[in-house]
Amino acid sequence: MKSRERIKTAMIGNHAVAQAVKMARVKFIAAYPITPQTIIVERIAEMVERGEMEAEFVNVESEFAALSTTMGAAMAGVRAFTATSSHGLLYMYELTWWTAGARVPVVMAVVNRAIGPPWNIHTDHNDILTLRDSGWIIAMAENVQETFDMTIQAFKIAEDPKVMLPVAIGLEGFILSHTAEYIELPDQWEIDQFLPPRDPDKPYRFRLGEKFSIGNLGEDANHMMLKIAAMKAMYNAKKVIEESDHLYEKIIGRGYGGLVERYRLDDAKYVLLSTGAWSGTIKDAVDMLRDEGYSVGLLRLRFIRPFPTEEILKTLSGSKGVIVFDRDISLGKSGVLATEVLDYVDRDISFWGVVAGLGGVDVSSKEFASIVKGFVGEVEREGFTRRETVYYLNNEVFEI
Amino acid sequence: MSRKIIVKKIDIDIDPTKYLVARPKKGAAGRTGLWRTFRPVVKLDKCIDCGICWLYCPEDVIFWEKGLKIKIDYEYCKGCGICSSVCPVKAIEMVREEE
Amino acid sequence: MKIEILFLSRGGQGAVTASRILASTLVEEGLYAQAIPEFGAERRGAVVKTYIRASTQPIKTHEMIKNPDLIVVFSRGILDIIDLKIFIGDKNPVFLINSSTPVKTGFKTFVVDATGIAIKTGLVVAGWPVINTALLGSLSKVTGLYRLETLIKILGVFFKGELLEKNIEAVKKAYEQTHEATQI
Ligand code: SF4
Ligand code: SF4
């Protein structure tokens, strides 16, 4: 066994993505720059230009072209990557459904940014959540280290013959994309061991001289069967995600727990639930609350699709109260995660769906702690509470 | 910050114009004059009254009236130096602000 | 140990680059570090806040820093624009200010004439004195969190050739010339 000579440094999230793409030996990249994703594109283009990466980088005229081209390359059998954000993702939206529908295992970084109007370059999660029903596997990173690890793992998951679905990795604009953080980089041989080259023939491969088309008009029942098959692939992905995480931990020495990460949940009476970079901030809040004697823990969703139903059910059953933090909103319903999690919250368990942090509004660990105290206080005063949607802004929790 | 949280019912004004509409106004970006590290200083004896700086100033803070030459509003001049670069006779010098 | 630092600078003064050099330097010293830039109005001259955390433990939070232990002011003029009260909470911050003369903040304050050092060292780009690295030299002295040699080593990752030489010179001068000038 070769010795580990890990590079330890501080790196911004966008560079971590680019580094992961290089180390995953990606062969094809097409992307169109948009704030705050631009640095990913610049860095990859630089590495290809300098010959540090053996890959083709294609300059495209739009995000629509970026994903079309990436999808095409992947259909021809190579490992392919693209990256976008917010309005860029919306501009390529039609193709996102095509990529998933045609079961093309590309990986895309989505640098989360609020969708206008008003124009805003700061983070929230609504952009990546537009992929929710499309057939993309959706992952959200908590920090720069995980952004790197997740990008590597994404290829493994996407290209698994039991899965064959595209993966989108969310890293939050500025607070991950432009934030320099401690990171430990594995050696190339470790990554190679974890992630062998892609099997170019799976699920099918366009090559010269062979005549076939993908996704042509057919019987309606055929359409429906394709969707059901993709659903099965999503279910399979749950296991593959977990296995990939274990294998990664075995080879590289860092594991997260699969679809979810459990933080101080053992014996917790109150369960907090979140995804993305502010989960780290919420962990600090959990620590503060625990110090004050509150029985709380955090269930962090690393993946939103496939949805970690079993993990959520297991964690929530027997809890006294659940509070979901959504940095997104499904207008006309509630926070997106709240909508999804509510299915698994028994009628006698207290619940708050808290929408906060939209458009990049910062929420501190102290603020999270005081929201949780407000929730626990209400449960203890009233015996029970159920509020599907409350908002947190300017130190107030309110309903409208 | 650690004040007690009690859920309130808030009556929201649903008129979106408040959050959407922006109209031009003087100093919309704040007192941009405070951003300056260098101050454009005009040597009026050198100035040939051509108005090019007036045309180029991105903040619209140069006042030019043919015959009277130019005047700069230092309250909002952000010190970008474009006027100094475009002046054909180098009549505008960028001088470091006192710090 | 956990230290939270706030950089107050103007767009174009290189605070974001400085924060990344600082984060790398801190990691090189065996600490955990995080540098969060606050982007928004990315206009030359506007006030930019950058947050840096250093800790012996992994850093989980991604929130902005509201009550820093240390405030680095990239140019004295910023103090006329920003109301310092908003950064004062349970902790009394220490100040490091780029200024050729003492500045009254009401708190423990260090000054260094980083602008003067940059001009003398020939670190001037497009008319702007480059003061960001010099301030990192000062910060080494003020915080004692990292050694000057470590900073110089990391500078070598970010700069090459003559530019590197000038930066090293500026960093050393700034370290020497930084002095306490507290006026309550
Ligand atoms: S420095 Fe810039 S803002 Fe000021 S007057 Fe000249 S062009 Fe206008
Ligand atoms: S560009 Fe120069 S010469 Fe022309 S009006 Fe301005 S200052 Fe005068």
Side-chain angles (χ1 to χ4, degrees):
Chain A
M1 175 132 171
K2 284 179 237 175
S3 72
R4 290 195 171 124
E5 278 173 41
R6 295 286 172 70
I7 296 173
K8 290 177 187 153
T9 182
M11 196 181 256
I12 60 167
N14 278 347
H15 284 168
V17 170
Q19 182 69 22
V21 167
K22 178 190 171 196
M23 295 184 88
R25 300 193 189 276
V26 170
K27 288 284 169 286
F28 184 92
I29 305 99
Y32 191 80
I34 175 171
T35 302
Q37 157 266 33
T38 309
I39 299 169
I40 300 179
V41 185
E42 284 173 356
R43 179 47 75 98
I44 293 176
E46 259 168 43
M47 291 192 294
V48 172
E49 180 72 25
R50 290 200 296 249
E52 292 164 22
M53 250 181 102
E54 248 179 86
E56 182 104 23
F57 180 90
V58 176
N59 266 317
V60 285
E61 79 279 10
S62 71
E63 284 85 0
F64 189 90
L67 188 55
S68 315
T69 318
T70 307
M71 179 175 83
M75 281 173 157
V78 297
R79 188 168 281 161
F81 173 85
T82 187
T84 190
S85 173
S86 186
H87 291 262
L89 178 64
L90 298 191
Y91 198 33
M92 67 165 63
Y93 195 61
E94 182 187 0
L95 261 299
T96 63
W97 283 68
W98 249 96
T99 314
R103 308 290 296 277
V104 189
V106 303
V107 171
M108 169 163 75
V110 177
V111 185
N112 305 111
R113 161 181 157 183
I115 297 169
W119 282 120
N120 187 320
I121 55 171
H122 295 138
T123 189
D124 67 33
H125 303 163
N126 262 120
D127 59 356
I128 198 167
L129 289 172
T130 62
L131 294 174
R132 193 180 62 160
D133 305 332
S134 68
W136 281 70
I137 289 175
I138 303 171
M140 285 289 290
E142 183 189 313
N143 50 41
V144 171
Q145 180 73 67
E146 191 180 28
T147 303
F148 175 88
D149 298 333
M150 230 173 208
T151 307
I152 300 282
Q153 287 181 24
F155 291 101
K156 183 95 177 165
I157 298 158
E159 295 165 7
D160 191 292
K162 295 187 288 301
V163 179
M164 288 295 161
L165 286 169
V167 179
I169 303 144
L171 66 142
E172 306 204 26
F174 297 104
I175 55 178
L176 289 189
S177 68
H178 288 61
T179 290
E181 277 184 345
Y182 177 87
I183 187 172
E184 238 182 80
L185 295 174
D187 287 346
Q188 183 66 53
W189 68 265
E190 294 175 297
I191 301 282
D192 290 344
Q193 202 183 331
F194 173 78
L195 185 69
R198 180 186 160 195
D199 178 350
D201 295 321
K202 297 253 164 52
Y204 51 80
R205 181 184 186 181
F206 278 133
R207 46 172 121 225
L208 287 177
E210 226 182 297
K211 296 184 187 117
F212 64 94
S213 72
I214 293 294
N216 218 330
L217 267 180
E219 283 179 39
D220 292 348
N222 188 47
H223 181 103
M224 183 150 171
M225 276 315 293
L226 180 69
K227 294 287 170 195
I228 298 173
M231 192 69 166
K232 180 93 198 257
M234 273 285 180
Y235 290 149
N236 290 343
K238 293 187 182 191
K239 194 143 179 261
V240 172
I241 286 166
E242 218 162 273
E243 286 166 359
S244 304
D245 191 55
H246 287 156
L247 184 66
Y248 196 83
E249 183 168 13
K250 211 172 122 203
I251 297 173
I252 284 132
R254 206 172 19 256
Y256 295 87
L259 289 159
V260 296
E261 189 205 339
R262 302 168 55 83
Y263 187 76
R264 302 189 78 169
L265 271 172
D266 298 332
D267 81 327
K269 272 202 262 175
Y270 294 96
V271 177
L272 321 186
L273 209 137
S274 70
T275 193
W278 72 357
S279 305
T281 313
I282 298 173
K283 285 176 181 175
D284 274 1
V286 167
D287 292 349
M288 287 178 202
L289 289 162
R290 283 269 180 186
D291 285 349
E292 290 181 41
Y294 286 85
S295 175
V296 295
L298 172 73
L299 187 70
R300 173 172 72 95
L301 306 194
R302 299 183 65 231
F303 286 80
I304 291 158
R305 285 292 179 274
F307 194 68
T309 308
E310 294 78 9
E311 289 81 351
I312 289 177
L313 266 174
K314 216 171 82 198
T315 311
L316 301 195
S317 76
S319 67
K320 193 163 177 198
V322 178
I323 177 162
V324 173
F325 291 105
D326 265 296
R327 199 165 201 166
D328 48 70
I329 187 162
S330 175
L331 296 173
K333 179 67 171 71
S334 61
V336 177
L337 298 182
T339 300
E340 308 221 317
V341 170
L342 259 175
D343 287 350
Y344 310 108
V345 183
D346 289 345
R347 290 303 311 174
D348 56 348
I349 297 179
S350 289
F351 182 88
W352 271 12
V354 181
V355 172
L358 302 184
V361 170
D362 185 45
V363 185
S364 69
S365 43
K366 274 190 192 157
E367 287 172 279
F368 277 116
S370 61
I371 299 168
V372 175
K373 283 184 193 171
F375 172 67
V376 173
E378 193 169 276
V379 176
E380 275 163 15
R381 257 192 335 270
E382 319 281 333
F384 176 77
T385 176
R386 193 118 176 160
R387 299 181 192 270
E388 191 174 303
T389 316
V390 295
Y391 308 86
Y392 178 77
L393 188 65
N394 301 329
N395 298 317
E396 308 251 41
V397 175
F398 58 92
E399 286 177 328
I400 54 168
Chain B
M1 200 87 57
S2 48
R3 45 184 285 225
K4 210 165 151 194
I5 296 269
I6 298 282
V7 183
K8 291 196 181 125
K9 182 101 179 161
I10 292 190
D11 196 15
I12 298 281
D13 181 0
I14 62 159
D15 175 9
T17 53
K18 196 166 137 194
Y19 313 108
L20 282 169
V21 178
R23 294 183 204 284
K25 69 168 203 266
K26 192 166 172 178
R31 272 180 64 209
T32 41
L34 294 168
W35 297 4
R36 266 195 322 270
T37 310
F38 292 93
R39 160 192 289 257
V41 178
V42 205
K43 293 200 189 73
L44 285 174
D45 50 327
K46 259 184 151 185
C47 169
I48 54 167
D49 207 7
C50 69
I52 290 180
C53 58
W54 164 82
L55 189 63
Y56 273 85
C57 171
E59 293 299 312
D60 192 23
V61 295
I62 298 182
F63 303 97
W64 173 55
E65 217 175 301
K66 191 87 190 148
L68 293 171
K69 300 189 178 172
I70 66 150
K71 224 173 148 174
I72 296 172
D73 180 354
Y74 291 111
E75 190 76 4
Y76 297 107
C77 159
K78 64 184 179 185
C80 66
I82 290 173
C83 52
S84 163
S85 309
V86 297
C87 173
V89 295
K90 300 265 161 281
I92 304 179
E93 198 193 332
M94 300 303 289
V95 182
R96 210 182 140 204
E97 292 280 355
E98 289 307 318
E99 283 267 307
Chain C
M1 184 276 294
K2 185 171 173 184
I3 289 191
E4 296 188 318
I5 304 171
L6 168 70
F7 284 0
L8 291 176
S9 67
R10 287 189 165 136
Q13 283 188 310
V16 174
T17 307
S19 73
R20 288 178 188 163
I21 297 172
L22 176 56
S24 298
T25 307
L26 292 164
V27 171
E28 188 69 22
E29 289 285 11
L31 293 165
Y32 291 92
Q34 181 189 56
I36 310 183
E38 189 178 288
F39 281 87
E42 285 161 89
R43 289 164 295 199
R44 215 159 223 235
V47 173
V48 175
K49 288 180 233 159
T50 314
Y51 310 101
I52 298 102
R53 290 189 172 89
S55 173
T56 44
Q57 298 299 315
I59 297 160
K60 296 194 283 277
T61 190
H62 286 98
E63 71 203 272
M64 311 292 123
I65 294 172
K66 300 215 170 73
N67 180 200
D69 299 287
L70 192 96
I71 301 178
V72 183
V73 182
F74 277 54
S75 49
R76 202 186 155 145
I78 291 171
L79 295 174
D80 302 334
I81 319 171
I82 284 221
D83 180 9
L84 288 177
K85 276 204 276 315
I86 57 173
F87 304 115
I88 319 291
D90 344 325
K91 301 183 261 189
N92 285 342
V94 173
F95 281 83
L96 169 63
I97 302 172
N98 169 22
S99 168
S100 52
T101 52
V103 187
K104 189 171 169 179
T105 61
F107 297 95
K108 186 169 179 160
T109 303
F110 294 83
V111 293
V112 62
D113 182 15
T115 309
I117 292 172
I119 292 170
K120 267 191 226 124
T121 323
L123 270 173
V124 179
V125 175
W128 280 58
V130 182
I131 56 162
N132 58 348
T133 45
L135 283 171
L136 294 181
S138 304
L139 204 54
S140 162
K141 189 168 182 178
V142 172
T143 63
L145 280 173
Y146 55 93
R147 288 161 292 175
L148 208 50
E149 307 97 81
T150 316
L151 172 62
I152 289 168
K153 182 176 162 197
I154 297 296
L155 285 177
V157 179
F158 284 79
F159 308 102
K160 298 271 171 276
E162 199 197 338
L163 191 58
L164 174 63
E165 293 311 314
K166 283 183 181 172
N167 272 296
I168 292 176
E169 199 186 322
V171 156
K172 285 183 176 162
K173 276 191 191 153
Y175 185 92
E176 284 158 22
Q177 292 175 24
T178 302
H179 59 278
E180 194 178 334
T182 308
Q183 293 187 341
I184 305 284

